[in-house]
Amino acid sequence: MLQPDRLFLALALLWGVAARGEMETSRAKRDRAVTVVGTPAEPLPEIHVAPDVPTVLLFPADIARNTLTVDESRIRVVDTGARSIIVQAAADYRAGERHDLTVFFADGMSPARAAFVLVLDPAEVDTRIDVNRDGRITRDEMRNHKQR
């Protein structure tokens, strides 16, 4: 039979786990579109990640998977596809942490790369990001523009 002290400790632990679970599930889940920046001077778009929810990034063109860079000690890459990346924050990811995720497109169009800052937002988490590329131009168009 459990002693009163042990029973109290067990109940306190269960209550703490339940309260923590309620906090984690209270984040609003959202799907949205994000446009990649064209110049290094522009701030990178923020993607809200969480330890308990995967975030799917869907790209409009094939990505060069071998060019993906991210701090894998803090961000787990769950999967990469021809046009997608699934990431999830580390279990101890904290609000205020900021980690870049960068990948290059395989099609030779501009902008050539997609870069984002992954942050933890206590109020919301991005579950799906539709990545857009504004101002795309082909290699031939870039070459013709330079020749003028």
Side-chain angles (χ1 to χ4, degrees), residues 12-22:
L13 287 172
L14 285 173
W15 180 75
V17 168
R20 183 174 160 214
E22 287 174 16

Side-chain angles (χ1 to χ4, degrees), residues 28 50 65-66 70 74-75 77 101-102 137 144 146-147:
R65 290 183 260 184
N66 62 335
V70 66
R74 305 305 300 144
I75 302 293
V77 178
L101 179 147
T102 304
I137 58 174
N144 290 339
K146 288 179 183 178
Q147 291 175 351

Side-chain angles (χ1 to χ4, degrees), residues 69-143:
T69 57
V70 66
D71 181 353
E72 292 189 40
S73 70
R74 305 305 300 144
I75 302 293
R76 185 169 68 103
V77 178
V78 177
D79 189 38
T80 56
R83 291 185 175 208
S84 64
I85 300 172
I86 303 172
V87 295
Q88 195 165 357
D92 61 344
Y93 207 77
R94 301 283 178 238
E97 276 191 72
R98 302 173 62 82
H99 294 283
D100 291 353
L101 179 147
T102 304
V103 68
F104 284 83
F105 290 101
D107 64 4
M109 296 180 75
S110 178
R113 76 176 181 123
F116 313 94
V117 176
L118 306 177
V119 299
L120 183 122
D121 184 319
E124 60 191 18
V125 60
D126 292 319
T127 54
R128 176 184 168 144
I129 298 292
D130 292 311
V131 178
N132 295 316
R133 290 166 84 182
D134 252 2
R136 290 188 298 165
I137 58 174
T138 64
R139 286 184 194 164
D140 292 337
E141 290 171 328
M142 286 191 302
R143 194 176 11 242

